[in-house]
Amino acid sequence: MFHIPVGEPVANFVFFGTIVGYNFVKYDALARSKKIKMRKELKGIALFSFCSLLFVGYYFFMLERVTQITAIVFLSITLLYTLPFFPNKKNARNWAGVKIYIVALCWVGVTLGLPILDAGIPITIDFYLKCMQRFVLIFVLVLVFEIIDMAHDDPHLKTVPQQIGANRTKILGLLLLIPFYLLEFFKSNLDKDQLIVNFILVLMISLFLIFANEKRSKYYTSFCVESIPIVWWLLLLLF
């Protein structure tokens, strides 16, 4: 989107860092509470995560200094999301109403901030517009997950559907997709291909949001909704 050269160090750092971060967030709390046993599969995941961590360290030292500092900031947010840093306090994942903002913020920082900073591109209004677009996009995608998980989420989490209901959450998500699309028109160089890609993206997410409910199969989110970024990437390559 910013026509920068492909930076293998930052791309590989993000790739392996995502594996480590996701598995840490997913399995650390369960392991510490002893709700899961270290079966062969989990040992394999732990080994895979450890190998990925070694690659994270390797590529970290190939990044620019400003990128390293930014990466550490978002690593801290990820740790805060999982580990209780203060005595007798819950981790950020369990702070009422905060989860969705942390997830969206980390997505923006890692997928936009790191590559732009590492490429040394001047920060312009286009960057901030893309940050807002990306934040809104991830926010809406997480709404789909929160609707599906309403029956299982702790009431104290105060997710958006828990506070305003599933139907209003869907309306909120659909309304947020409007500024997501319109922000593209404020860029300094309007890309017509990007408008087409974004329109298809908005249509896909709208349908997944409208048909989301608590009775949907786990594959509705873990396969279908999770595949949206991959479809997005393919659309970018196509156009």
Side-chain angles (χ1 to χ4, degrees):
M1 292 177 182
F2 289 89
H3 308 290
I4 61 177
V6 177
E8 288 192 12
V10 69
N12 291 333
F13 174 80
V14 170
F15 177 77
F16 290 109
T18 300
I19 294 172
V20 175
Y22 181 86
N23 287 341
F24 178 72
V25 169
K26 185 175 180 65
Y27 295 107
D28 174 74
L30 293 175
R32 284 189 290 109
S33 62
K34 298 181 180 179
K35 290 184 178 180
I36 57 174
K37 297 180 180 180
M38 287 299 288
R39 303 187 305 271
K40 287 184 179 179
E41 295 87 349
L42 292 177
K43 289 180 180 179
I45 291 173
L47 178 60
F48 181 54
S49 300
F50 177 74
C51 293
S52 297
L53 182 62
L54 296 179
F55 281 110
V56 170
Y58 172 75
Y59 286 111
F60 176 82
F61 291 104
M62 297 176 68
L63 302 177
E64 298 295 329
R65 180 59 58 85
V66 65
T67 317
Q68 292 177 340
I69 295 172
T70 306
I72 290 173
V73 170
F74 286 101
L75 170 64
S76 302
I77 295 174
T78 303
L79 293 176
L80 181 65
Y81 183 77
T82 308
L83 301 175
F85 276 82
F86 308 103
N88 302 318
K89 296 290 183 180
K90 296 181 178 180
N91 55 36
R93 191 179 192 178
N94 293 307
W95 292 354
V98 172
K99 173 184 174 181
I100 191 169
Y101 299 99
I102 293 179
V103 173
L105 180 63
C106 285
W107 264 75
V108 171
V110 171
T111 63
L112 268 175
L114 294 188
I116 293 297
L117 291 173
D118 202 66
I121 292 179
I123 302 299
T124 64
I125 187 64
D126 285 353
F127 171 77
Y128 293 111
L129 288 172
K130 278 297 177 189
C131 284
M132 288 188 284
Q133 278 185 306
R134 188 67 49 89
F135 187 92
V136 170
L137 178 71
I138 303 307
F139 189 94
V140 175
L141 283 174
V142 175
L143 290 180
V144 182
F145 287 83
E146 291 191 343
I147 291 173
I148 300 293
D149 295 337
M150 272 186 69
H152 308 288
D153 280 339
D154 188 327
H156 295 95
L157 285 177
K158 292 185 178 180
T159 62
V160 176
Q162 287 176 341
Q163 295 186 73
I164 66 175
N167 290 333
R168 290 183 178 178
T169 299
K170 293 180 181 181
I171 294 172
L172 173 64
L174 293 173
L175 291 175
L176 286 174
L177 288 175
I178 297 173
F180 164 76
Y181 189 77
L182 294 180
L183 281 171
E184 195 68 32
F185 290 93
F186 291 91
K187 285 182 62 181
S188 57
N189 295 311
L190 184 62
D191 187 346
K192 293 181 179 179
D193 290 338
Q194 189 64 48
L195 290 176
I196 297 173
V197 171
N198 285 354
F199 180 78
I200 298 173
L201 196 62
V202 166
L203 186 61
M204 287 176 54
I205 297 173
S206 298
L207 291 173
F208 278 118
L209 186 61
I210 290 170
F211 292 105
N213 61 63
E214 299 172 56
K215 297 180 181 179
R216 288 289 180 186
S217 164
K218 64 179 180 179
Y219 296 108
Y220 189 81
T221 50
S222 64
F223 180 78
C224 296
V225 180
E226 291 274 16
S227 69
I228 289 178
I230 299 174
V231 176
W232 186 16
W233 173 63
L234 293 174
L235 287 171
L236 290 172
L237 293 179
L238 178 64
F239 286 94

